[in-house]
Amino acid sequence: MKKDISPPAVTDVAVAVVPRQESAEELWDIYLINLRDTPLENVLVTSQGYGSVEGVNKTTTVLRHFHQTLPPREAVKIEPIQPSLFSISNEYWVSFNDGEHMLDKRYVFAPDTIGEEMLTELPVLDRPGVMQQ
């Protein structure tokens, strides 16, 4: 019976890592980007980093962020991230309401996939960054 239920796939929602502009220290920010023509409602983002650094397991604190609405074709800053965490996996689990359905998707930035050499121009933000869609 469970196999007969197929929730709609999450499309046109992205998570991006963007370097801060005009900052004294090197910090980056995580953004949730709504590329849809409809708003996202009751948005919950859970973030956590995990992996191994020099043979030592490292896990960051689980953080949760809630936003009532994310309008169409807009982005919201979720949290800052330090470049020292780019060497571990950084996971963002996004859940939201889409009409009658509650949808969710996991976005994972694998170790060493965030950096200056991976920057591309991002939609909505019109800034360079690294995006998972």
Side-chain angles (χ1 to χ4, degrees), residues 46-83:
T46 303
S47 64
Q48 183 175 26
Y50 51 85
S52 178
V53 177
E54 297 177 4
V56 177
N57 287 340
K58 182 172 187 151
T59 304
T60 65
T61 302
V62 175
L63 298 175
R64 291 173 185 84
H65 310 275
F66 178 79
H67 297 276
Q68 189 70 45
T69 303
L70 179 55
R73 304 266 174 213
E74 288 198 20
V76 64
K77 188 187 301 186
I78 300 297
E79 64 187 21
I81 186 170
Q82 297 174 340

Side-chain angles (χ1 to χ4, degrees), residues 76-91:
V76 64
K77 188 187 301 186
I78 300 297
E79 64 187 21
I81 186 170
Q82 297 174 340
S84 62
L85 297 175
F86 295 168
S87 63
I88 62 174
S89 294
N90 290 282
E91 176 180 288

Side-chain angles (χ1 to χ4, degrees), residues 2-15:
K2 202 174 190 179
K3 63 179 174 55
D4 297 327
I5 301 172
S6 58
V10 174
T11 58
D12 298 328
V13 176
V15 174

